[in-house]
Amino acid sequence: MPESKYSPTWQRLRASLAFALVNLVLVWLIALRYTPYLEVPDNALGITYLILTWAGHFALLTLLAWLPLGLLALVLPRRILWLPAALLASAGLWLLLLDTGVYAQYRFHINNFMVSLFLNDKNGDIFSFTLSTWLIVGGIALALLLAEAWLAARLFASPRVQRLPLWRGVALLMAAMVASHLIHIVADARYRQSVTQQVGIFPLLFPATAKDFMEEHGWLDPRAARAQQFDLGKQTADTLNWPKNPLNCSPREDQPNLLFIVLDSWRQDEYGPRNTPAMHAALADEGRRYTDHFSGGNATRNGIMSLFYGLTGNYYRLLQDTQTPPLLITQLQKQGYEMGIFSAASLNSVGFDRSVFASIPELRPAAPGETPVARDRNMTQAWLDWQAERENDKTPWFSLLFYDAPHGYAVPEDMERPFEPSAESMDYLKLGPETDPEPIRNLHRNAVYFDDQLIAGVIEKLKKNGEWDNTVLVVTSDHGQSFNDFGQNYWGHNSIFAPPQTKVPMILHGPGIPAGEHSGTTSHLDLAPTLMRQVLGCTNPVSDYSHGDDLLDPSLDHDWVAASSYLDLAIIEEDRITVIDGAGGWEVVDHQLRPEEKAISPVVFQAIQALKRFYSQ
């Protein structure tokens, strides 16, 4: 037998890499178990992306898992290297196999929180296994370990391994991985649903995007790209069982208009006769106010999503990737409502062009202006002009006015500020635990006060046109805002799930809505089903299409509500908040962020079951 040209150390390294690549074939086969929950592509680009992602992404994960074995190969002799190789490979394959099972049941990948649920599930509420199941699982694990030990021993002893083009194979696989990301960059920018609908299924897949970069350099017109791909035919993701039954909705004879007035970053305690005098004067005696109301998120994307879909935040990525619009919007369109979406900030930047308003072909761009003050003014004027154009039009309409001044802490220079002392501007870099929050908070209150003055003109227009009494008005926010409320240096939003960032105003007004206050705990998840029933005449049980309930039910008082950030999920109860971070870590705090005992509440088990309600089985 000819002497190898490689040193013993290099031979062991190559043998360990060959072992990893052989196991990659098993990884690919196990990964096929994710495909029943995949939005299947229907064109060449989508199929190409699927193949390249399947090959390249799992190759990357396998090579990352190989690195510890490669390091061991540099120091351990061949006669014992098979043992850690077999242990690492069988553990990795078993973990992937287990993840496919967990994902099939809950649409979560395995993380620390899922492990904690398993360990704390004393009564089998979430996980229930018979003795035979445990025996089968143990038998598979043992068989896998023995097979991996045999494979490792054979490969490490075989001289043929040294002649294989291993590094060229690795380069080819990494090229496939890079190509998949390049395809996603282009597909994301051009709204190619056959590609973007696939990205939420595989573990640890974070596809690259560059839409804003391409637009800034003049390589892309996003509105034109969206128009080219617009298709009202596909309304629901294949992997969603939503609604659970066909909707039965009948238009009312006296169809009311529907208007959402949403102030970005508006706290629950910033509504009242002093902070919002115009809205309070119009709604205090006629509106229905919800005094213990929570957004479905602590950030814009999740708060607005919960408002329109009535679904919890764990569905957002699938809804956006598949460009699935809310049932509320599509039913409004089916019943002939004219659509008027007005926003002071870009709806595209948070993905609403491909989710909440995916079924609206001509989506207006953000209002023009250099500042939030200018954009809020211009947006309001554009809405007033739109109303003037349709004064004699009896077609019912739906409209959104999405104000931005509180989010930007923006106040006109010439406006008299009712809240003093007030900061002149907001600079997050200058904030710290010793910063006096009062001037910052007053600046924010003044920004809310400014928008209230603009909203006064909206209310006046509705009354002048005779539409005030025939318009269902929803006044709320996407999320709240922190001002270091608990001395822990939390400012802004998207950081905690305590009331400053999740508790928001909610006031309803219009035909069929009784005036008064509702003190029970309510959620943004309740709005869509309320409007589906009260405005659109849908008779299905709310559980067919929403995680919420009807806000007009006088007994409504949730034991828990769910809220999400871009990465995290929280289950909010009356006395505690269970926060599950994006990596699967979890903690329990009270409503002032003080740590609680680390025990999973029984309510969390209920929530986890509820969160998977609308996934196809």
Side-chain angles (χ1 to χ4, degrees), residues 14-256:
R14 287 177 58 83
S16 70
L17 179 59
F19 177 73
L21 293 178
V22 170
N23 272 286
L24 174 59
V25 177
L26 296 176
V27 169
W28 282 333
L29 292 174
I30 294 173
L32 292 175
R33 285 167 53 89
Y34 292 111
T35 55
Y37 316 101
L38 175 73
E39 298 289 326
V40 180
D42 58 2
N43 57 42
L45 183 67
I47 293 171
T48 301
Y49 177 76
L50 174 59
I51 294 171
L52 291 176
T53 303
W54 176 72
H57 178 65
F58 285 103
L60 176 63
L61 295 183
T62 299
L63 291 171
L64 290 174
W66 163 75
L67 289 177
L69 181 60
L71 294 174
L72 290 174
L74 299 177
V75 295
L76 292 180
R78 183 183 299 181
R79 65 179 181 276
I80 63 172
L81 187 59
W82 65 270
L83 180 58
L87 290 171
L88 285 170
S90 57
L93 290 171
W94 181 245
L95 184 64
L96 180 62
L97 190 61
L98 184 61
D99 186 71
T100 62
V102 170
Y103 188 83
Q105 286 294 315
Y106 302 101
R107 300 308 191 277
F108 287 107
H109 293 292
I110 291 176
N111 54 39
N112 181 53
F113 177 69
M114 295 300 293
V115 173
S116 298
L117 272 185
F118 175 76
L119 296 176
N120 286 273
D121 187 18
K122 308 297 185 185
N123 300 319
D125 295 326
I126 302 291
F127 308 97
S128 181
F129 304 112
T130 63
L131 176 60
S132 61
T133 300
W134 283 110
L135 292 174
I136 292 171
V137 167
I140 293 174
L142 179 60
L144 186 60
L145 179 61
L146 293 175
E148 289 294 334
W150 175 84
L151 178 62
R154 290 293 301 270
L155 284 177
F156 291 163
S158 174
R160 296 179 181 177
V161 170
Q162 307 305 322
R163 298 194 293 271
L164 296 175
L166 300 176
W167 299 111
R168 276 178 282 179
V170 169
L172 183 62
L173 291 168
M174 291 301 95
M177 184 269 294
V178 172
S180 72
H181 283 276
L182 292 175
I183 289 175
H184 188 271
I185 287 174
V186 175
D188 175 72
R190 297 193 175 278
Y191 296 83
R192 298 297 176 87
Q193 183 181 358
S194 63
V195 171
T196 60
Q197 68 186 7
Q198 301 181 43
V199 301
I201 185 172
F202 294 143
L204 302 175
L205 176 60
F206 306 103
T209 60
K211 186 169 66 174
D212 291 342
F213 178 82
M214 296 169 72
E215 184 179 1
E216 288 174 6
H217 288 77
W219 302 343
L220 175 73
D221 180 352
R223 296 190 74 200
R226 182 175 185 269
Q228 289 177 357
Q229 298 301 320
F230 187 80
D231 179 11
L232 275 175
K234 183 173 175 58
Q235 296 293 344
T236 305
D238 296 332
T239 53
L240 279 180
N241 184 17
W242 180 69
K244 282 187 166 295
N245 295 292
L247 291 178
N248 183 13
C249 305
S250 300
R252 293 167 45 167
E253 291 184 6
D254 55 342
Q255 287 178 292

